[in-house]
Amino acid sequence: MKKIMGLLLTTLLVMSLFVGCGSKEKDAEPTGGNDSNQSSSEKDQGNKGDNSADKPKVGVTIYKFDDNFMTYTRNAMTSAAEGNAELVMNDSQNNQSVQNDQVDVMINKGVKALVINLVDPGAAPTIADKAKAADIPLIFVNKEYPEGTDKIDYDKVWYVGTQSKESGDIQGKLVAEAWKAHPEWDRNGDGVMQYVMLMGEPGHPDAEARTKYSVEYIKDEGIRVEELEKQTGMWDATKGKELMTTWLGKEGDKIEMVLCNNDGMALGVVEALKADGYFSDGKYMPVVGVDAIPEALDLIQQDIMLGTVLNDPLNQGRVSIEMAINSAAGKDVLDGLDFSLDETKAVRIPYQPITKDNLDLAKKAYGME
Ligand code: BGC
Ligand code: CA
């Protein structure tokens, strides 16, 4: 049995390596402003001399392409690079060793800066060592080194993301206010909010902080809570649906509130609730998320989701690429940008509460209008 398992594992490993190589080849194609005609005409018009110096090659990895929020961030990066940089975009397929290899390949190919969305936040120093050895500036985005970017032994490393705790606080505030306005949501009338919690991936600073601070905020508002269920749905809609379906079977009507670390999982939760008869004939369940992705905004518009927290992908994508371009050119990393660095060498893009009253704000941040 052991032998068979071993064989199976080896086969799987070899297969995944093949998949990894295949998409690496494909993904390594530059995706931003790589039109040769455009480059040469810009060269003719420009008086700065060397065109390649004007459009540096920037190496990007995304922890996995199959992530709702990161897809918006990735598209924002591509737009920001247009005409300004040549992006080499990699799908790290949720595998840190795949990502490490991608970084080696990009360094060998001569990228002038790296923008890295880590798979494992703890791998930041490993990637930084590679960048340092090649003297290439490095911008981490979305997944923060838990000990702080300033603790990494390299002068040319920065972080672009958010202040994770803020999203928990905002989500907690949104829930507390709505709970107080709706006494009927306390279905069993015991004066306690029975909730379930869907967490993002363990060890991700956003997931840890949202889980902790949302509930802390609610309690600080004087609301008593009881956690019925808490598990990771890995940021993913399908897993969110599975969890919620299981919990509905187990807890049934006891659940009074659903807290999700992101909208992706909330979409799955809503599907599970709909399949259980919710959101028709007056049967309701408050569900909150984070990100404000367009699908969630739609559900808020329809009075299905209670609200969400805007996690601004356009700014996070744009700022990370502009910092890469600046640092590659030897300029101040924040040159021309309206943001500042905190004491941990991080640019923190603010979160915003989103309900039916201010959907437009979120639509703008997602380039919908
Ligand atoms: C987002 C999640 C996303 C994760 C990826 C978080 O900030 O809220 O939706 O899956 O980043 O790292
Ligand atoms: Ca109750």
Side-chain angles (χ1 to χ4, degrees), residues 299 326 360:
L299 292 174
N326 280 337
D360 287 353

XYZ file of all heavy atoms in Angstrom, residues 299 326 360:
24
model
N -24.784 41.276 -5.388
C -25.573 40.645 -4.317
C -26.003 41.671 -3.265
O -27.079 41.551 -2.675
C -24.780 39.513 -3.653
C -24.515 38.284 -4.535
C -23.592 37.294 -3.817
C -25.829 37.586 -4.906
N 9.997 52.824 -10.832
C 10.816 53.851 -10.170
C 12.129 53.272 -9.664
O 13.204 53.805 -9.941
C 10.072 54.439 -8.957
C 9.042 55.475 -9.362
O 9.134 56.086 -10.437
N 8.062 55.699 -8.506
N -21.184 52.772 -5.542
C -20.442 53.456 -6.611
C -18.952 53.559 -6.316
O -18.120 53.438 -7.214
C -20.997 54.870 -6.824
C -22.338 54.817 -7.524
O -22.727 53.699 -7.947
O -22.996 55.877 -7.636
